[in-house]
Coordinates of all heavy atoms in Angstrom, one line a residue:
M1 N -29.5 -120.6 148.1 CA -28.1 -120.5 148.5 C -27.5 -119.3 147.7 O -26.8 -118.5 148.3 CB -27.3 -121.8 148.4 CG -25.9 -121.6 148.9 SD -24.8 -123.0 148.6 CE -25.5 -124.3 149.5
E2 N -27.7 -119.3 146.4 CA -27.0 -118.3 145.6 C -27.4 -116.9 146.0 O -26.5 -116.0 146.0 CB -27.3 -118.5 144.1 CG -26.6 -117.5 143.2 CD -27.0 -117.7 141.8 OE1 -27.8 -118.5 141.4 OE2 -26.4 -116.9 141.0
V3 N -28.6 -116.7 146.4 CA -29.1 -115.3 146.8 C -28.3 -114.9 148.0 O -27.8 -113.7 148.1 CB -30.6 -115.3 147.1 CG1 -31.0 -114.0 147.7 CG2 -31.4 -115.6 145.9
I4 N -28.1 -115.7 149.0 CA -27.4 -115.4 150.2 C -25.9 -115.1 149.9 O -25.3 -114.2 150.3 CB -27.5 -116.5 151.3 CG1 -29.0 -116.5 151.8 CG2 -26.6 -116.2 152.5 CD1 -29.3 -117.7 152.6
L5 N -25.3 -116.0 149.1 CA -23.9 -115.9 148.7 C -23.7 -114.6 147.9 O -22.7 -113.9 148.1 CB -23.4 -117.1 148.0 CG -23.4 -118.4 148.8 CD1 -23.0 -119.6 147.9 CD2 -22.3 -118.2 149.9
N6 N -24.5 -114.3 147.0 CA -24.4 -113.0 146.2 C -24.4 -111.8 147.1 O -23.8 -110.8 146.9 CB -25.5 -112.9 145.2 CG -25.2 -113.7 144.0 OD1 -24.1 -113.9 143.6 ND2 -26.2 -114.2 143.3
E7 N -25.2 -111.9 148.2 CA -25.3 -110.7 149.1 C -24.1 -110.5 150.0 O -23.7 -109.4 150.2 CB -26.6 -110.9 150.0 CG -26.8 -109.7 150.9 CD -28.1 -109.8 151.7 OE1 -29.0 -110.5 151.2 OE2 -28.2 -109.1 152.7
Y8 N -23.5 -111.7 150.4 CA -22.4 -111.6 151.4 C -21.0 -111.9 150.8 O -20.0 -111.6 151.5 CB -22.7 -112.5 152.6 CG -23.9 -112.1 153.4 CD1 -25.1 -112.7 153.2 CD2 -23.8 -111.0 154.2 CE1 -26.2 -112.3 153.9 CE2 -24.9 -110.6 155.0 CZ -26.1 -111.2 154.8 OH -27.2 -110.8 155.5
C9 N -21.0 -112.4 149.6 CA -19.7 -112.7 148.9 C -19.6 -112.0 147.6 O -19.9 -112.6 146.6 CB -19.5 -114.2 148.8 SG -19.6 -115.1 150.3
V10 N -19.3 -110.7 147.6 CA -19.4 -110.0 146.3 C -18.4 -110.5 145.3 O -18.8 -110.7 144.1 CB -19.0 -108.5 146.6 CG1 -19.0 -107.7 145.4 CG2 -20.0 -107.9 147.6
E11 N -17.2 -110.8 145.7 CA -16.2 -111.3 144.8 C -16.3 -112.8 144.6 O -16.9 -113.3 143.7 CB -14.8 -110.9 145.3 CG -14.5 -109.4 145.3 CD -14.5 -108.8 143.9 OE1 -13.9 -109.5 143.0 OE2 -15.0 -107.7 143.7
R12 N -15.7 -113.5 145.5 CA -15.7 -115.0 145.5 C -15.5 -115.5 147.0 O -15.1 -114.7 147.8 CB -14.7 -115.6 144.6 CG -13.3 -115.3 144.9 CD -12.3 -115.8 143.8 NE -10.9 -115.7 144.2 CZ -10.2 -116.7 144.8 NH1 -10.7 -117.9 144.9 NH2 -9.0 -116.5 145.1
L13 N -15.6 -116.7 147.2 CA -15.4 -117.3 148.5 C -13.9 -117.2 148.9 O -13.1 -117.6 148.1 CB -15.9 -118.7 148.6 CG -17.4 -118.9 148.4 CD1 -17.8 -120.4 148.3 CD2 -18.2 -118.2 149.5
Q14 N -13.6 -116.9 150.1 CA -12.3 -116.9 150.6 C -11.9 -118.4 150.8 O -12.8 -119.2 151.0 CB -12.1 -116.2 151.9 CG -12.3 -114.7 151.7 CD -12.1 -114.0 153.0 OE1 -11.9 -114.6 154.1 NE2 -12.2 -112.6 153.0
E15 N -10.6 -118.7 150.7 CA -10.2 -120.1 150.9 C -9.2 -120.2 152.0 O -8.4 -119.2 152.2 CB -9.5 -120.6 149.6 CG -10.6 -120.8 148.5 CD -10.0 -121.5 147.3 OE1 -9.1 -122.3 147.5 OE2 -10.6 -121.3 146.2
P16 N -9.2 -121.2 152.8 CA -10.1 -122.4 152.7 C -11.5 -122.0 153.2 O -11.7 -121.1 154.0 CB -9.5 -123.4 153.6 CG -8.7 -122.7 154.6 CD -8.3 -121.4 153.9
N17 N -12.5 -122.8 152.8 CA -13.9 -122.5 153.2 C -14.6 -123.8 153.3 O -14.2 -124.8 152.8 CB -14.5 -121.6 152.2 CG -14.6 -122.1 150.8 OD1 -15.2 -123.2 150.6 ND2 -14.0 -121.5 149.9
F18 N -15.8 -123.7 154.0 CA -16.7 -124.9 154.1 C -18.1 -124.4 154.3 O -18.3 -123.2 154.8 CB -16.2 -125.9 155.1 CG -16.5 -125.5 156.5 CD1 -17.7 -125.9 157.1 CD2 -15.6 -124.7 157.3 CE1 -18.0 -125.6 158.5 CE2 -15.9 -124.4 158.6 CZ -17.1 -124.8 159.2
V19 N -19.0 -125.2 154.1 CA -20.4 -124.9 154.4 C -21.0 -126.1 155.1 O -20.7 -127.3 154.7 CB -21.2 -124.5 153.1 CG1 -21.3 -125.7 152.1 CG2 -22.6 -124.0 153.5
D20 N -21.8 -125.9 156.1 CA -22.5 -126.9 156.8 C -24.0 -126.8 156.5 O -24.6 -125.7 156.9 CB -22.2 -126.8 158.3 CG -22.8 -127.9 159.1 OD1 -23.5 -128.8 158.6 OD2 -22.5 -128.0 160.3
I21 N -24.6 -127.8 155.9 CA -26.0 -127.7 155.5 C -26.8 -128.7 156.3 O -26.6 -129.9 156.2 CB -26.2 -127.9 154.0 CG1 -25.3 -126.9 153.2 CG2 -27.6 -127.9 153.6 CD1 -25.3 -127.3 151.7
D22 N -27.8 -128.2 157.1 CA -28.7 -129.0 157.9 C -30.0 -128.2 157.9 O -30.3 -127.3 158.6 CB -28.2 -129.1 159.3 CG -29.1 -130.0 160.2 OD1 -30.2 -130.4 159.7 OD2 -28.7 -130.2 161.3
V23 N -30.9 -128.6 156.9 CA -32.2 -127.9 156.7 C -33.3 -128.9 156.7 O -34.3 -128.7 156.0 CB -32.1 -127.0 155.5 CG1 -31.2 -125.8 155.7 CG2 -31.7 -127.8 154.2
E24 N -33.2 -129.9 157.5 CA -34.3 -130.8 157.8 C -35.0 -131.4 156.5 O -36.2 -131.2 156.3 CB -35.4 -130.2 158.7 CG -34.8 -129.7 160.0 CD -33.9 -130.7 160.8 OE1 -34.3 -131.9 160.8 OE2 -32.9 -130.3 161.3
G25 N -34.2 -132.0 155.7 CA -34.8 -132.7 154.5 C -34.8 -131.8 153.2 O -35.1 -132.4 152.1
L26 N -34.3 -130.6 153.3 CA -34.3 -129.7 152.1 C -32.9 -129.5 151.6 O -32.6 -128.6 150.8 CB -35.0 -128.4 152.4 CG -36.5 -128.5 152.8 CD1 -37.0 -127.1 153.2 CD2 -37.3 -129.1 151.6
E27 N -32.0 -130.4 152.0 CA -30.6 -130.2 151.6 C -30.4 -130.2 150.1 O -29.6 -129.3 149.6 CB -29.7 -131.4 152.2 CG -29.5 -131.2 153.7 CD -30.7 -131.7 154.5 OE1 -31.6 -132.4 154.0 OE2 -30.7 -131.5 155.7
L28 N -31.0 -131.1 149.4 CA -30.9 -131.1 147.9 C -31.4 -129.8 147.3 O -30.8 -129.2 146.4 CB -31.6 -132.3 147.3 CG -31.4 -132.4 145.8 CD1 -29.9 -132.6 145.4 CD2 -32.2 -133.6 145.3
D29 N -32.5 -129.2 147.8 CA -33.0 -127.9 147.3 C -32.0 -126.8 147.5 O -31.8 -126.0 146.6 CB -34.3 -127.6 148.1 CG -35.5 -128.5 147.7 OD1 -35.5 -129.1 146.7 OD2 -36.4 -128.6 148.6
V30 N -31.3 -126.8 148.7 CA -30.3 -125.8 148.9 C -29.1 -126.0 147.9 O -28.7 -125.0 147.3 CB -29.8 -125.9 150.4 CG1 -28.5 -125.1 150.6 CG2 -30.9 -125.5 151.4
L31 N -28.7 -127.2 147.7 CA -27.6 -127.5 146.8 C -28.0 -127.0 145.4 O -27.2 -126.4 144.7 CB -27.2 -128.9 146.8 CG -26.5 -129.4 148.1 CD1 -26.4 -131.0 148.0 CD2 -25.2 -128.7 148.4
E32 N -29.2 -127.4 145.0 CA -29.6 -127.0 143.6 C -29.8 -125.5 143.5 O -29.7 -125.0 142.3 CB -31.0 -127.7 143.3 CG -30.8 -129.2 143.1 CD -32.1 -130.0 142.9 OE1 -33.1 -129.5 143.4 OE2 -32.0 -131.1 142.3
G33 N -29.9 -124.8 144.6 CA -30.1 -123.3 144.5 C -28.7 -122.6 144.5 O -28.7 -121.3 144.6
N34 N -27.6 -123.3 144.3 CA -26.3 -122.6 144.3 C -25.9 -122.4 142.8 O -26.2 -123.2 141.9 CB -25.3 -123.5 145.0 CG -24.0 -122.8 145.1 OD1 -23.9 -121.6 145.2 ND2 -22.9 -123.5 145.1
N35 N -25.1 -121.4 142.6 CA -24.5 -121.2 141.3 C -23.1 -121.8 141.4 O -22.1 -121.2 141.9 CB -24.3 -119.7 141.0 CG -23.6 -119.4 139.7 OD1 -23.0 -120.3 139.1 ND2 -23.7 -118.2 139.2
W36 N -23.0 -123.1 141.0 CA -21.8 -123.9 141.1 C -20.6 -123.4 140.3 O -19.5 -123.7 140.5 CB -22.0 -125.4 140.9 CG -22.9 -125.9 142.0 CD1 -24.3 -126.0 142.0 CD2 -22.5 -126.3 143.3 NE1 -24.7 -126.5 143.2 CE2 -23.6 -126.7 144.0 CE3 -21.3 -126.4 143.9 CZ2 -23.6 -127.1 145.3 CZ3 -21.2 -126.8 145.2 CH2 -22.4 -127.2 145.9
N37 N -20.9 -122.6 139.2 CA -19.8 -122.0 138.4 C -19.2 -120.9 139.2 O -18.0 -120.6 138.9 CB -20.4 -121.5 137.1 CG -20.9 -122.6 136.2 OD1 -20.2 -123.7 136.1 ND2 -22.0 -122.4 135.6
R38 N -19.9 -120.2 140.1 CA -19.3 -119.1 140.8 C -18.9 -119.5 142.2 O -17.9 -119.0 142.7 CB -20.4 -118.0 140.9 CG -19.9 -116.8 141.6 CD -20.7 -115.6 141.3 NE -20.2 -114.5 142.0 CZ -20.9 -113.5 142.5 NH1 -22.2 -113.5 142.4 NH2 -20.3 -112.5 143.2
F39 N -19.7 -120.3 142.9 CA -19.4 -120.6 144.3 C -19.2 -122.1 144.5 O -20.1 -122.9 144.5 CB -20.6 -120.2 145.2 CG -20.9 -118.8 145.1 CD1 -22.1 -118.3 144.6 CD2 -20.0 -117.8 145.7 CE1 -22.4 -117.0 144.5 CE2 -20.3 -116.5 145.6 CZ -21.5 -116.0 145.1
K40 N -17.9 -122.5 144.7 CA -17.5 -123.8 145.0 C -16.9 -123.8 146.4 O -16.1 -122.9 146.7 CB -16.5 -124.4 144.0 CG -17.0 -124.7 142.6 CD -16.0 -125.3 141.8 CE -16.6 -125.7 140.4 NZ -16.7 -124.6 139.5
F41 N -17.2 -124.8 147.2 CA -16.7 -124.9 148.5 C -15.6 -125.9 148.6 O -15.7 -127.0 147.9 CB -17.8 -125.3 149.5 CG -19.0 -124.3 149.5 CD1 -20.1 -124.5 148.7 CD2 -18.9 -123.2 150.3 CE1 -21.1 -123.6 148.7 CE2 -20.0 -122.3 150.3 CZ -21.0 -122.5 149.5
N42 N -14.6 -125.7 149.4 CA -13.6 -126.7 149.6 C -14.1 -127.9 150.3 O -13.8 -129.1 149.9 CB -12.4 -126.2 150.4 CG -11.7 -125.0 149.8 OD1 -11.6 -123.9 150.4 ND2 -11.2 -125.1 148.6
Y43 N -15.0 -127.7 151.3 CA -15.6 -128.8 152.0 C -17.1 -128.5 152.2 O -17.5 -127.4 152.4 CB -15.0 -128.9 153.4 CG -13.5 -129.3 153.4 CD1 -12.5 -128.4 153.3 CD2 -13.1 -130.7 153.3 CE1 -11.2 -128.7 153.3 CE2 -11.8 -131.0 153.2 CZ -10.8 -130.0 153.2 OH -9.5 -130.4 153.1
I44 N -17.9 -129.6 152.2 CA -19.3 -129.5 152.4 C -19.6 -130.5 153.5 O -19.3 -131.7 153.3 CB -20.2 -129.7 151.2 CG1 -19.9 -128.7 150.1 CG2 -21.6 -129.8 151.5 CD1 -20.6 -128.9 148.8
L45 N -20.2 -130.1 154.6 CA -20.8 -131.0 155.6 C -22.3 -130.9 155.4 O -22.9 -129.8 155.4 CB -20.4 -130.5 157.0 CG -19.0 -130.7 157.5 CD1 -18.0 -129.9 156.6 CD2 -18.8 -130.3 158.9
I46 N -22.9 -132.1 155.3 CA -24.3 -132.1 155.0 C -25.0 -133.2 155.8 O -24.5 -134.3 155.8 CB -24.6 -132.2 153.5 CG1 -26.0 -131.9 153.1 CG2 -24.1 -133.5 152.9 CD1 -26.2 -131.5 151.7
E47 N -26.2 -132.9 156.3 CA -26.9 -133.9 157.1 C -27.3 -135.0 156.2 O -28.0 -134.8 155.2 CB -28.1 -133.2 157.8 CG -28.8 -134.2 158.7 CD -30.0 -133.6 159.4 OE1 -30.8 -132.9 158.7 OE2 -30.1 -133.9 160.6
Q48 N -27.0 -136.2 156.6 CA -27.4 -137.4 155.9 C -27.5 -138.5 157.0 O -26.6 -139.1 157.4 CB -26.3 -137.9 154.9 CG -26.3 -137.0 153.6 CD -25.3 -137.6 152.6 OE1 -24.1 -137.4 152.8 NE2 -25.8 -138.2 151.6
K49 N -28.7 -138.7 157.5 CA -29.0 -139.6 158.6 C -29.1 -141.0 158.0 O -30.1 -141.6 157.9 CB -30.3 -139.2 159.3 CG -30.2 -137.9 160.0 CD -31.5 -137.6 160.7 CE -31.4 -136.2 161.4 NZ -32.7 -135.8 161.9
I50 N -27.9 -141.5 157.5 CA -27.8 -142.8 156.9 C -26.7 -143.6 157.6 O -25.6 -143.0 157.8 CB -27.6 -142.7 155.4 CG1 -28.7 -141.9 154.7 CG2 -27.4 -144.1 154.8 CD1 -28.4 -141.6 153.3
Q51 N -26.9 -144.8 158.0 CA -25.9 -145.5 158.7 C -24.9 -146.3 157.9 O -23.8 -146.6 158.3 CB -26.6 -146.5 159.7 CG -27.5 -145.8 160.7 CD -26.7 -144.9 161.6 OE1 -25.6 -145.2 162.0 NE2 -27.2 -143.7 161.9
S52 N -25.2 -146.5 156.6 CA -24.3 -147.3 155.8 C -23.7 -146.5 154.6 O -24.4 -145.8 153.9 CB -25.1 -148.5 155.2 OG -24.5 -149.1 154.1
I53 N -22.4 -146.6 154.4 CA -21.8 -146.0 153.3 C -22.3 -146.4 152.0 O -22.5 -145.6 151.0 CB -20.2 -146.2 153.3 CG1 -19.6 -145.6 154.6 CG2 -19.6 -145.7 152.1 CD1 -19.6 -144.0 154.6
D54 N -22.7 -147.7 151.9 CA -23.3 -148.2 150.6 C -24.6 -147.5 150.3 O -24.9 -147.2 149.2 CB -23.5 -149.7 150.7 CG -22.1 -150.5 150.7 OD1 -21.2 -150.0 150.2 OD2 -22.1 -151.6 151.3
V55 N -25.4 -147.3 151.3 CA -26.7 -146.6 151.1 C -26.4 -145.2 150.8 O -27.1 -144.6 149.9 CB -27.6 -146.7 152.4 CG1 -28.8 -145.9 152.3 CG2 -27.9 -148.2 152.7
I56 N -25.4 -144.5 151.4 CA -25.1 -143.1 151.0 C -24.8 -143.0 149.6 O -25.2 -142.1 148.9 CB -24.0 -142.6 151.9 CG1 -24.5 -142.4 153.3 CG2 -23.4 -141.3 151.3 CD1 -23.4 -142.0 154.3
K57 N -24.0 -144.0 149.1 CA -23.5 -143.9 147.7 C -24.7 -144.1 146.7 O -24.5 -143.7 145.5 CB -22.4 -144.9 147.4 CG -21.2 -144.6 148.1 CD -20.0 -145.5 147.8 CE -18.8 -145.0 148.5 NZ -17.6 -145.9 148.3
D58 N -25.8 -144.5 147.1 CA -27.0 -144.6 146.3 C -27.9 -143.4 146.5 O -28.9 -143.3 145.8 CB -27.8 -145.9 146.6 CG -27.2 -147.1 146.0 OD1 -26.5 -147.0 145.0 OD2 -27.4 -148.2 146.6
S59 N -27.6 -142.5 147.4 CA -28.4 -141.3 147.7 C -28.3 -140.2 146.6 O -27.3 -140.1 145.9 CB -28.0 -140.7 149.1 OG -26.8 -140.0 149.0
T60 N -29.4 -139.5 146.5 CA -29.4 -138.4 145.6 C -28.4 -137.3 145.9 O -27.8 -136.7 145.0 CB -30.8 -137.7 145.6 OG1 -31.8 -138.7 145.4 CG2 -31.0 -136.6 144.6
L61 N -28.2 -137.0 147.2 CA -27.2 -136.1 147.6 C -25.8 -136.5 147.2 O -25.0 -135.7 146.7 CB -27.2 -135.8 149.1 CG -28.4 -135.1 149.7 CD1 -28.4 -135.1 151.2 CD2 -28.5 -133.7 149.2
F62 N -25.4 -137.7 147.4 CA -24.1 -138.2 147.0 C -23.9 -138.1 145.5 O -22.9 -137.6 145.1 CB -23.9 -139.7 147.4 CG -22.6 -140.3 147.0 CD1 -21.5 -140.2 147.8 CD2 -22.6 -141.0 145.8 CE1 -20.3 -140.7 147.4 CE2 -21.4 -141.5 145.4 CZ -20.2 -141.4 146.2
K63 N -24.9 -138.5 144.7 CA -24.8 -138.4 143.3 C -24.7 -137.0 142.8 O -23.9 -136.7 141.9 CB -26.0 -139.1 142.6 CG -26.0 -140.6 142.9 CD -27.2 -141.3 142.4 CE -27.2 -142.8 142.7 NZ -28.4 -143.5 142.3
F64 N -25.5 -136.1 143.4 CA -25.4 -134.7 143.0 C -24.0 -134.1 143.3 O -23.4 -133.5 142.4 CB -26.5 -133.9 143.8 CG -26.5 -132.4 143.4 CD1 -27.3 -132.0 142.4 CD2 -25.7 -131.5 144.1 CE1 -27.3 -130.6 142.1 CE2 -25.7 -130.2 143.8 CZ -26.5 -129.7 142.8
L65 N -23.5 -134.3 144.5 CA -22.2 -133.8 144.8 C -21.1 -134.4 144.0 O -20.1 -133.8 143.7 CB -22.0 -133.9 146.3 CG -22.8 -133.0 147.2 CD1 -22.7 -133.3 148.7 CD2 -22.4 -131.5 147.0
S66 N -21.2 -135.7 143.7 CA -20.2 -136.4 142.9 C -20.1 -135.7 141.5 O -19.0 -135.5 141.0 CB -20.5 -137.9 142.8 OG -20.4 -138.5 144.0
K67 N -21.3 -135.4 141.0 CA -21.3 -134.8 139.6 C -20.7 -133.4 139.7 O -20.2 -132.9 138.7 CB -22.7 -134.7 139.1 CG -23.2 -136.0 138.7 CD -24.7 -135.9 138.2 CE -25.2 -137.3 137.8 NZ -26.6 -137.2 137.4
K68 N -20.7 -132.8 140.9 CA -20.1 -131.4 141.0 C -18.6 -131.5 141.4 O -18.0 -130.4 141.5 CB -20.9 -130.6 142.1 CG -22.3 -130.4 141.8 CD -22.5 -129.5 140.5 CE -23.9 -129.2 140.2 NZ -24.1 -128.6 138.9
G69 N -18.1 -132.7 141.5 CA -16.6 -132.8 141.7 C -16.3 -133.1 143.2 O -15.1 -132.9 143.6
Y70 N -17.2 -133.5 144.0 CA -17.0 -133.7 145.4 C -16.8 -135.2 145.7 O -17.5 -136.1 145.1 CB -18.1 -133.2 146.3 CG -18.0 -131.6 146.3 CD1 -18.7 -130.9 145.3 CD2 -17.4 -131.0 147.3 CE1 -18.6 -129.5 145.3 CE2 -17.3 -129.6 147.3 CZ -18.0 -128.9 146.3 OH -17.9 -127.5 146.3
A71 N -15.9 -135.5 146.7 CA -15.7 -136.9 147.1 C -16.1 -137.0 148.6 O -15.9 -136.1 149.4 CB -14.3 -137.3 146.9
L72 N -16.8 -138.1 148.9 CA -17.1 -138.4 150.3 C -15.9 -138.8 151.1 O -15.2 -139.7 150.8 CB -18.2 -139.5 150.4 CG -18.7 -139.8 151.8 CD1 -19.4 -138.6 152.5 CD2 -19.6 -141.0 151.8
L73 N -15.5 -138.0 152.1 CA -14.4 -138.3 152.9 C -14.7 -139.2 154.1 O -14.0 -140.1 154.5 CB -13.7 -137.0 153.5 CG -13.1 -136.1 152.5 CD1 -12.5 -134.8 153.2 CD2 -12.0 -136.7 151.7
A74 N -15.9 -138.8 154.8 CA -16.2 -139.6 156.0 C -17.7 -139.4 156.2 O -18.4 -138.5 155.6 CB -15.5 -139.0 157.2
H75 N -18.3 -140.2 157.1 CA -19.6 -140.1 157.5 C -19.7 -140.6 159.0 O -19.1 -141.6 159.3 CB -20.6 -140.9 156.6 CG -22.0 -140.7 156.9 ND1 -22.7 -141.4 157.8 CD2 -22.9 -139.8 156.4 CE1 -23.9 -141.0 157.9 NE2 -24.1 -140.0 157.0
N76 N -20.4 -139.8 159.8 CA -20.5 -140.2 161.2 C -21.9 -140.7 161.6 O -22.2 -140.8 162.8 CB -20.1 -139.0 162.1 CG -21.1 -137.9 162.0 OD1 -22.1 -137.9 161.4 ND2 -20.7 -136.8 162.7
G77 N -22.7 -141.1 160.7 CA -24.0 -141.6 161.0 C -25.1 -140.5 160.9 O -26.3 -140.7 160.9
L78 N -24.6 -139.2 160.9 CA -25.5 -138.1 160.9 C -25.1 -137.1 159.8 O -26.0 -136.5 159.1 CB -25.5 -137.4 162.2 CG -26.4 -136.2 162.4 CD1 -27.9 -136.6 162.2 CD2 -26.3 -135.5 163.7
T79 N -23.8 -136.9 159.6 CA -23.3 -135.9 158.6 C -22.3 -136.5 157.6 O -21.5 -137.3 158.0 CB -22.6 -134.8 159.4 OG1 -23.5 -134.2 160.3 CG2 -22.1 -133.7 158.5
G80 N -22.5 -136.2 156.4 CA -21.5 -136.6 155.4 C -20.5 -135.4 155.2 O -20.9 -134.3 155.2
F81 N -19.2 -135.8 155.1 CA -18.1 -134.8 154.9 C -17.6 -135.0 153.5 O -17.0 -136.0 153.2 CB -17.0 -135.1 156.0 CG -17.5 -135.0 157.4 CD1 -18.2 -136.0 158.0 CD2 -17.2 -133.8 158.1 CE1 -18.6 -135.9 159.3 CE2 -17.7 -133.7 159.4 CZ -18.3 -134.8 160.0
Y82 N -17.8 -134.0 152.7 CA -17.4 -134.0 151.3 C -16.2 -133.0 151.1 O -16.2 -131.9 151.6 CB -18.5 -133.7 150.4 CG -19.6 -134.7 150.4 CD1 -20.6 -134.7 151.3 CD2 -19.6 -135.7 149.4 CE1 -21.6 -135.7 151.3 CE2 -20.6 -136.7 149.4 CZ -21.6 -136.7 150.3 OH -22.6 -137.6 150.3
K83 N -15.3 -133.4 150.2 CA -14.2 -132.5 149.8 C -14.3 -132.3 148.3 O -14.5 -133.3 147.5 CB -12.9 -133.1 150.2 CG -11.7 -132.2 149.8 CD -10.4 -132.9 150.2 CE -9.2 -132.0 150.2 NZ -8.7 -131.5 149.0
Y84 N -14.1 -131.0 147.8 CA -14.0 -130.8 146.4 C -12.7 -131.3 145.9 O -11.6 -131.0 146.4 CB -14.1 -129.3 146.2 CG -14.1 -128.9 144.7 CD1 -15.2 -129.3 143.9 CD2 -13.0 -128.3 144.1 CE1 -15.1 -129.0 142.5 CE2 -13.0 -128.0 142.8 CZ -14.1 -128.3 142.0 OH -14.0 -128.0 140.6
I85 N -12.8 -132.1 144.9 CA -11.6 -132.7 144.3 C -11.4 -132.1 142.9 O -12.3 -132.2 142.0 CB -11.8 -134.3 144.1 CG1 -12.1 -134.9 145.5 CG2 -10.5 -134.9 143.5 CD1 -11.0 -134.8 146.5
T86 N -10.3 -131.5 142.6 CA -10.1 -130.9 141.3 C -9.8 -131.8 140.2 O -10.2 -131.6 139.1 CB -9.0 -129.8 141.4 OG1 -7.8 -130.5 141.9 CG2 -9.3 -128.7 142.3
K87 N -9.2 -133.0 140.5 CA -9.0 -134.0 139.5 C -10.0 -135.1 139.6 O -10.4 -135.5 140.7 CB -7.6 -134.6 139.7 CG -6.4 -133.7 139.5 CD -5.1 -134.4 139.6 CE -4.0 -133.5 139.4 NZ -2.7 -134.2 139.6
K88 N -10.5 -135.6 138.5 CA -11.4 -136.7 138.5 C -10.5 -138.0 138.5 O -9.6 -138.1 137.7 CB -12.3 -136.7 137.2 CG -13.2 -135.5 137.2 CD -14.4 -135.7 138.1 CE -15.3 -134.5 138.0 NZ -16.5 -134.6 138.6
F89 N -10.9 -138.9 139.3 CA -10.1 -140.2 139.3 C -10.8 -141.2 138.4 O -11.9 -141.3 138.3 CB -10.0 -140.7 140.8 CG -9.3 -139.7 141.6 CD1 -10.0 -138.9 142.5 CD2 -7.9 -139.7 141.6 CE1 -9.3 -138.0 143.3 CE2 -7.2 -138.8 142.4 CZ -7.9 -138.0 143.2

């Protein structure tokens, strides 16, 4: 992800912004490939084919994004909708 963002976002991401990640099981690899100190998204939509919010909260993607300051806003059974939260609750 960082390679692509470095090529197309010389300065920083414009706001508001979002990214939609659907890479058939490689979502965590894409997230881990970002420079989170430089590129933070306001919203992240990410494929998570999980039917239960409780199961999502045990997922690696949820834990990774939570550590980066994101909160799960909604889930439609296919996609998780995350928002960057500047304050930790």
Side-chain angles (χ1 to χ4, degrees):
M1 181 186 297
E2 182 181 7
V3 172
I4 294 168
L5 293 172
N6 279 330
E7 184 173 339
Y8 294 101
C9 300
V10 178
E11 296 292 320
R12 64 185 188 99
L13 296 172
Q14 295 180 354
E15 292 190 25
N17 62 59
F18 77 94
V19 65
D20 185 355
I21 302 171
D22 179 356
V23 289
E24 305 310 320
L26 298 173
E27 289 79 12
L28 185 59
D29 293 335
V30 170
L31 292 173
E32 289 175 336
N34 186 32
N35 179 346
W36 291 97
N37 293 321
R38 184 164 179 212
F39 299 113
K40 288 187 178 79
F41 301 93
N42 299 123
Y43 296 92
I44 296 175
L45 285 64
I46 192 158
E47 183 178 47
Q48 289 184 282
K49 295 179 183 175
I50 301 172
Q51 298 299 319
S52 164
I53 293 293
D54 292 330
V55 174
I56 288 175
K57 290 183 177 181
D58 286 333
S59 74
T60 306
L61 289 174
F62 177 88
K63 292 174 183 176
F64 181 90
L65 289 170
S66 294
K67 288 179 183 176
K68 298 296 182 190
Y70 289 84
L72 181 65
L73 295 179
H75 188 271
N76 67 4
L78 181 62
T79 301
F81 299 81
Y82 292 84
K83 180 180 193 294
Y84 182 69
I85 306 296
T86 55
K87 292 182 180 179
K88 297 281 182 169
F89 297 102

